[in-house]
Amino acid sequence: MKIKSATDRSLLWIAIKDNLDSFFLMLGIGLICAVVGGGVFYLGFGQWGAMMFGGFFALIGGFFSVYSFVATYSSISYYYEQALLRKHGVEVDGVLTRKTADCQFHQEYDNNNRPLGEGYHLCNLLVEFEFQFQGEKYSGAYYLNKLDTFDKLQESDPVPLKVLKFDPTAHKVRERRLANMLKGRKPQTPSLVPEGAEISQLM
């Protein structure tokens, strides 16, 4: 996240506070695994089984510890940026340049490697757009959460955006406004998304 302005401390603190519980939970799990794994490795040094078990646990602990910082930083950045957009964002119209549906098929299996159920598709609905702001041209992308809105969109359609006035690279699609603009339009057929697919609810 690139923010070209002084930090809004009150908004940043709210974003940090909202993520502290998950941060300490992941960090705690990581540290416990690392300590247990390190202890088993040390006490069982010279015994391959104990060393492998302890080393594996220590690696898991190290992963969770590092991941807690990475995931929390990413989450804080996202929520801080969204708060800035709500407070300092301005409304502009972009133009849709492309839409794509990235769908992955998921299937669960039992212990005998037999499929459980029929499986399902999980799809990310990405829209790409361009917009002008203060005489400069920008491009961006955003994941939509509503299949109906996605299916109705066509290239060159206007896309309502909210743009951070002191950093236009921070922006989001105004999904409710977009859905209202597309009321009455028939969805694209065939859809880019398999029937019955689940739609990822991304940040």
Side-chain angles (χ1 to χ4, degrees):
M1 177 183 65
K2 296 181 279 187
I3 301 299
K4 303 171 184 176
S5 179
T7 301
D8 189 319
R9 295 179 184 275
S10 62
L11 294 182
L12 180 58
W13 172 240
I14 291 172
I16 292 173
K17 188 168 58 174
D18 289 345
N19 285 274
L20 284 179
D21 288 346
S22 58
F23 168 71
F24 284 119
L25 176 62
M26 287 188 292
L27 182 61
I29 292 173
L31 291 177
I32 290 171
C33 288
V35 170
V36 170
V40 172
F41 184 89
Y42 176 76
L43 295 174
F45 191 78
Q47 302 176 25
W48 285 107
M51 290 173 64
M52 289 180 64
F53 178 80
F56 178 70
F57 246 71
L59 284 174
I60 292 177
F63 169 80
F64 267 100
S65 297
V66 172
Y67 182 75
S68 66
F69 287 93
V70 175
T72 302
Y73 175 79
S74 176
S75 182
I76 289 172
S77 297
Y78 171 79
Y79 285 108
Y80 177 55
E81 183 175 282
Q82 296 305 301
L84 285 174
L85 281 167
R86 286 192 295 271
K87 184 175 181 178
H88 302 290
V90 293
E91 296 175 2
V92 301
D93 283 330
V95 177
L96 183 73
T97 57
R98 187 168 178 251
K99 69 174 188 178
T100 53
D102 177 21
C103 298
Q104 303 293 329
F105 184 73
H106 295 265
Q107 176 68 65
E108 295 182 355
Y109 296 89
D110 62 16
N111 294 333
N112 296 316
N113 206 32
R114 291 177 298 196
L116 296 171
E118 297 180 356
Y120 63 96
H121 285 90
L122 184 63
C123 300
N124 298 322
L125 309 178
L126 182 68
V127 292
E128 299 175 45
F129 46 83
E130 294 178 345
F131 63 96
Q132 297 273 348
F133 187 73
Q134 296 180 343
E136 297 287 336
K137 186 176 183 179
Y138 297 90
S139 60
Y142 189 84
Y143 287 104
L144 294 180
N145 294 315
K146 300 293 184 182
L147 176 59
D148 184 62
T149 303
F150 179 82
D151 276 344
K152 290 178 180 178
L153 273 173
Q154 301 172 3
E155 288 189 14
S156 301
D157 276 345
V159 180
L161 309 170
K162 183 163 277 193
V163 175
L164 196 57
K165 59 185 177 183
F166 45 79
D167 181 8
T169 62
H171 47 257
K172 68 175 183 177
V173 173
R174 298 166 57 210
E175 290 196 66
R176 183 176 297 178
R177 170 62 178 159
L178 180 60
N180 288 335
M181 290 170 56
L182 296 172
K183 275 185 178 178
R185 179 185 289 185
K186 292 183 179 180
Q188 168 187 336
T189 53
S191 174
L192 298 177
V193 176
E195 185 176 354
E198 296 184 12
I199 307 302
S200 294
Q201 302 297 303
L202 299 174
M203 297 193 300

